[in-house]
């Protein structure tokens, strides 16, 4: 694809010639593009096909917050509107809601007001978020229900914060065929990273990554990705600078240092820092269990536990999903030994592995998961496993979700197991969930690095009620947490008995910890 340096420079020069910054200490200063912005504009407007039209139709820019993405997007919208020589051009700002979509539009409108050359060629309607060019072209914000409408003849779309889209409907309406009548439409997506790996943004992110790495060949797609790798040290200033090309310009290093320090002191802020400051795709909005402390928990020798007392949690989920049985042994020194096991239907393992992005087949081979024949979980396998564990250890109690009871529960009662129904609300789950965090932070949970349980711990999101009570939230957790739910139930039974049915629980003697 030929790169026309003169066209690229012409586009780069257009920004300071017609536009100024509108906020902060740069207000009124000509919009001189930063180096990374020049790269985007140069490639977009300077890479052309043989017929002279633009090569790139879709541009995906993923970059941390405060790097100047809204200003760049606003400038692109105005360039498409005022200097692209497209009759009756239709330019749209789109986002998860109208307020978000209005952010880029409002910046663009202010830029126009500060430019005598542009303002005399158009009319701004603030009430409806529209800019009408005198030649019949327009730039407007789409309403939240735009996905229910059709008939867009798109010349340009600015899609802001794609990661916040609740579904793919608006994306599909604006991108599938809506620009076919145009010579060189531009679909410009600009976003920070998200956390939902089943979202349209993750789909586009993965496509962009594969185009960048040469796995997919798509000459019409321009990927610009700034972010930390999964194994990067998120506390490193070198990593911050790699991810934030505007450090020293729109971002101060001191502000990032302060944000990092806060994230190190509060597990709940770590994911926000990594997502918004380093552009990492994290597991969920707010990490509840800090994985560096989870990984720092000591090891145990489960062979030394033969004959010891165990309390267990059983999360049966659905017959087509994943079931978890987690045993817990409290020792006399305040440590808890965890022995989990999981069950999945054999016929769905490969599909499940592709969907969830985790190595179920490897975990089955390693003995962490039992694959039961067929496309639903065979509860007879769970019953046999629990019976075998009952012969090896003293299974004192097994807590189970009373709303998900099945014939298996009655079968286990017939086998002699003590089954305890356990509610999934704040009243039942709140105290042991907080206690789990306390044990992890104190490195008093010995889980031997079980990879399935670790994956679920990393997925865990909690829900809070107005009183501050918490519980594991399967709906908000983008991946499975069944083993953690079972662990929380087992922990409640173990703490209440403290390894001794005759004594008071820790909740009665110490009280519930507040976090």
């Amino acid at each position: 694809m030929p790169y026309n340096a003169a066209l690229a420079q012409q586009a780069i020069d257009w920004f300071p010639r017609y536009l100024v910054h509108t906020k902060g200490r740069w207000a009124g200063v000509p919009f001189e593009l930063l180096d990374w912005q020049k790269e985007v504009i140069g490639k977009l407007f300077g890479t052309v096909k043989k017929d002279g039209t633009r090569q790139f139709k879709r541009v995906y820019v993923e970059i941390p917050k405060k790097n100047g993405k809204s200003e760049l997007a606003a400038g692109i919208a105005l360039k498409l509107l005022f200097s692209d020589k497209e009759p009756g051009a239709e330019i749209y700002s789109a986002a998860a809601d109208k307020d978000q979509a209005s952010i880029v539009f409002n910046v663009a409108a202010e830029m126009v007001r500060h430019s005598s050359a542009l303002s005399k060629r158009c009319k701004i309607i603030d009430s409806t978020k529209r800019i009408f060019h005198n030649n019949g072209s327009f730039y407007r914000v789409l309403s939240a229900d735009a996905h229910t409408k059709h008939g867009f003849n798109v010349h340009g779309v600015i899609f802001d914060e794609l990661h916040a889209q609740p579904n793919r409907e608006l994306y599909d309406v604006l991108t599938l065929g809506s620009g076919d009548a145009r010579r060189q439409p531009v679909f410009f997506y600009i976003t920070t990273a998200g956390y939902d790996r089943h979202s349209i943004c993750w789909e586009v992110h993965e496509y962009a990554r594969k185009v960048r790495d040469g796995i997919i060949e798509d000459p019409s797609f321009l990927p610009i990705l700034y972010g930390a790798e999964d194994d990067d040290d998120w506390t490193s200033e070198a990593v911050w600078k790699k991810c934030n090309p505007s450090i020293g310009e729109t971002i101060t290093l001191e502000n990032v240092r302060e944000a990092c320090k806060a994230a190190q002191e509060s597990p709940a802020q770590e994911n926000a820092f990594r997502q918004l400051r380093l552009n990492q795709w994290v597991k969920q909005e707010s990490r509840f269990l800090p994985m560096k402390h989870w990984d720092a928990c000591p090891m145990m020798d489960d062979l030394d536990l033969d004959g010891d007392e165990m309390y267990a949690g059983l999360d049966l989920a659905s017959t087509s999903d994943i079931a978890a049985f987690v045993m817990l042994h409290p020792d006399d020194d305040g440590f808890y030994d965890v022995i989990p096991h999981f069950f999945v239907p054999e016929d769905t393992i490969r599909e499940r592995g592709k969907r969830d992005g985790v190595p179920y087949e490897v975990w089955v081979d390693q003995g962490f998961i039992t694959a039961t024949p067929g496309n639903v979980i065979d509860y007879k396998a769970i019953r046999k496993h629990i019976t075998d564990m009952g012969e090896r250890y003293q299974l004192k109690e097994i807590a189970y979700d009373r709303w998900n009871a099945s014939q298996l529960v009655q079968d286990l009662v017939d086998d002699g197991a003590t089954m305890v129904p356990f509610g999934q609300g704040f009243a039942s789950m709140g105290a042991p969930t907080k206690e789990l965090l306390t044990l992890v932070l104190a490195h008093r949970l010995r889980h031997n690095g079980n990879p399935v349980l670790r994956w679920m711990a990393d997925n865990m999101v909690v829900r809070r009620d107005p009183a501050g009570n918490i519980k594991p939230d399967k709906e908000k957790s983008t991946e499975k947490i069944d083993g953690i739910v079972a662990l929380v139930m087992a922990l409640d039974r173990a703490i209440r008995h403290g390894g001794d049915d005759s004594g008071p629980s820790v909740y009665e003697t110490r009280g519930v910890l507040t976090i």
Side-chain angles (χ1 to χ4, degrees), residues 447-460:
H447 47 68
N448 272 13
N450 182 285
V452 188
L453 192 65
R454 186 193 188 280
W455 171 60
M456 293 180 175
D458 198 26
N459 294 335
M460 185 183 179

Side-chain angles (χ1 to χ4, degrees), residues 138-258:
F138 64 80
Y139 170 39
R140 58 166 289 201
V141 171
L142 291 176
S143 62
D145 63 347
H147 66 273
T148 64
K149 305 168 186 174
H150 298 275
F152 296 110
N153 189 357
V154 171
H155 176 58
V157 171
I158 308 298
F159 222 129
D160 193 23
E161 298 297 9
L162 186 61
H163 79 274
Q165 280 296 307
N167 53 55
R168 63 177 304 128
E169 292 177 348
L170 181 58
Y171 173 89
D172 286 343
V173 166
L174 291 177
T175 60
L176 298 181
S178 62
D180 289 351
R182 302 289 181 176
R183 292 173 60 249
Q184 48 181 2
V186 173
F187 300 88
F188 189 81
Y189 317 107
I190 193 157
T191 186
T192 51
Y195 65 91
D196 184 356
R197 301 196 179 206
H198 301 297
S199 65
I200 180 59
C201 190
W202 175 254
E203 179 183 320
V204 180
H205 162 88
E206 281 294 276
Y207 190 87
R209 182 185 61 79
K210 291 175 182 177
V211 173
R212 180 200 63 187
D213 296 343
I215 300 171
I216 294 176
E217 184 177 349
D218 185 349
S220 69
F221 192 100
L222 175 60
I224 305 289
L225 302 169
Y226 286 96
E229 301 298 329
D230 290 341
D231 57 353
D232 280 345
D233 178 2
W234 62 273
T235 66
S236 165
E237 293 193 3
V239 172
W240 305 345
K241 292 176 181 178
K242 177 184 76 170
C243 302
N244 294 273
S246 299
I247 275 188
E249 298 289 345
T250 62
I251 302 171
T252 68
L253 195 57
E254 185 59 33
N255 284 346
V256 183
R257 287 193 187 109
E258 291 175 0

Side-chain angles (χ1 to χ4, degrees), residues 163 193-197 267-276 280-291 454-463 473-481 484:
H163 79 274
Y195 65 91
D196 184 356
R197 301 196 179 206
Q269 294 187 46
E270 179 185 329
N271 268 20
F273 178 86
R274 292 167 59 199
Q275 177 191 354
L276 300 177
Q280 279 188 319
W281 279 80
V282 293
K283 289 288 186 178
Q284 67 278 324
E285 288 180 283
S286 179
R287 183 185 302 273
F288 181 70
L289 294 174
M291 298 313 294
R454 186 193 188 280
W455 171 60
M456 293 180 175
D458 198 26
N459 294 335
M460 185 183 179
V461 170
V462 296
R463 178 180 297 177
D473 191 334
K474 288 188 176 182
E475 292 181 3
K476 284 189 177 181
S477 302
T478 56
E479 306 289 356
K480 301 301 178 186
I481 62 169
I484 298 299

